[in-house]
Amino acid sequence: MDGVLVHEGNALPGAAEFLQRLVDRGRRFLVLTNNSIFTPRDLSARLARSGLDVPEGAIWTSALATADFLASQLPGGSAYVIGEAGLTTALHEAGYTLTDVDPDYVVLGETRTYSFEAITRAIRLIGAGARFIATNPDVTGPSPEGPLPATGSVAAMITKATGAEPYFVGKPNPMMFRSAMNRIEAHSESTTMVGDRMDTDVVAGIEAGLDTVLVLTGSTRAADVNRFPFRPSRILPSIAEVIDLI
């Protein structure tokens, strides 16, 4: 989503036309984000304010992927959650009980206000045997004032305190793409991933067996590509140049 369709709340050139072409051609699609703060309904409304029409059913977040994963691992389980509505709602809808008493999992996601008390509770629960899950490994997130500590940074602190490494569900884990494809009944040989980061989007797409397109409107610049030991299927200036591929 960010760096491909929008940048700092503004639609990127060609984004609206790209989405419309998908609809016109009857292509199944999902807009993906590692951000676990917002529900699909929240994100749909935010995209609408940018001039992009994306129904909530066409949005897949690391929170939804995490809930999907846990529901497949331990149906009807329990979790102590550090996160916001995007994550707590997803877990609730997957049939999970949210508790701070003897949970099966500690689930760490994004929040605007990490609480030292909540982190301390997570450390003690993991020490007592709860399994450690995190929605994504991103170490920082953007803000108008500059970078903010994100899930990966807080996960590192909990790992240092407990010795327990989390299982990260979101990108670059190809699990997120596989769960997204299951959601829309897609197959890897006929699915394309469009992303703006080599180290999350492209590597996860390759590992999930997808055709990959890198657009240069986000994190990765053209000069950065050769630093990586893998390459996307295509490198294009922006989403506007992807329209004709549909």
Side-chain angles (χ1 to χ4, degrees):
M1 188 170 76
D2 295 314
V4 177
L5 298 177
V6 293
H7 177 67
E8 295 182 352
N10 298 312
L12 287 164
E17 293 81 2
F18 170 76
L19 292 168
Q20 189 59 51
R21 178 67 64 87
L22 290 171
V23 173
D24 292 344
R25 295 288 170 87
R27 298 287 191 260
R28 288 167 289 170
F29 71 94
L30 285 176
V31 174
L32 271 64
T33 176
N34 255 3
N35 190 315
S36 66
I37 290 178
F38 303 106
T39 67
R41 184 173 300 173
D42 297 332
L43 291 171
S44 178
R46 289 164 70 91
L47 289 167
R49 288 196 293 272
S50 301
L52 302 179
D53 181 16
V54 181
E56 58 183 281
I59 295 173
W60 190 246
T61 70
S62 65
L64 291 172
T66 298
D68 185 71
F69 171 72
L70 290 180
S72 70
Q73 291 284 301
L74 183 63
S78 62
Y80 175 69
V81 179
I82 298 177
E84 297 203 19
L87 182 56
T88 56
T89 300
L91 286 167
H92 176 75
E93 291 180 348
Y96 259 61
T97 300
L98 307 187
T99 180
D100 64 353
V101 179
D102 194 26
D104 297 307
Y105 297 95
V106 166
V107 182
L108 174 66
E110 222 80 68
T111 175
R112 302 175 189 87
T113 53
Y114 284 108
S115 156
F116 190 76
E117 181 182 353
I119 293 168
T120 300
R121 184 65 178 156
I123 288 168
R124 291 172 180 169
L125 290 170
I126 291 168
R131 287 158 282 184
F132 188 17
I133 300 287
T135 57
N136 66 83
D138 300 25
V139 293
T140 61
S143 82
E145 294 78 28
L148 294 171
T151 307
S153 296
V154 179
M157 179 165 57
I158 294 173
T159 294
K160 196 71 173 178
T162 62
E165 296 279 350
Y167 182 70
F168 291 108
V169 177
K171 301 176 295 182
N173 189 342
M175 169 82 67
M176 185 165 175
F177 287 153
R178 294 194 186 106
S179 62
M181 287 188 289
N182 288 340
R183 175 73 174 264
I184 58 173
E185 299 182 342
H187 301 285
S188 58
E189 60 270 19
S190 57
T191 301
T192 297
M193 186 289 308
V194 183
D196 73 304
R197 292 187 62 136
M198 286 288 288
D199 57 347
T200 56
D201 302 327
V202 172
V203 68
I206 290 171
E207 290 181 4
L210 310 182
D211 188 51
T212 56
V213 176
L214 175 72
V215 293
L216 302 174
T217 47
S219 296
T220 300
R221 305 300 178 192
D224 299 331
V225 175
N226 287 334
R227 295 191 294 106
F228 293 88
F230 50 85
R231 290 185 65 84
S233 309
R234 297 178 181 83
I235 302 173
L236 296 172
S238 73
I239 196 69
E241 285 74 30
V242 185
I243 297 171
D244 288 339
L245 299 179
I246 300 171

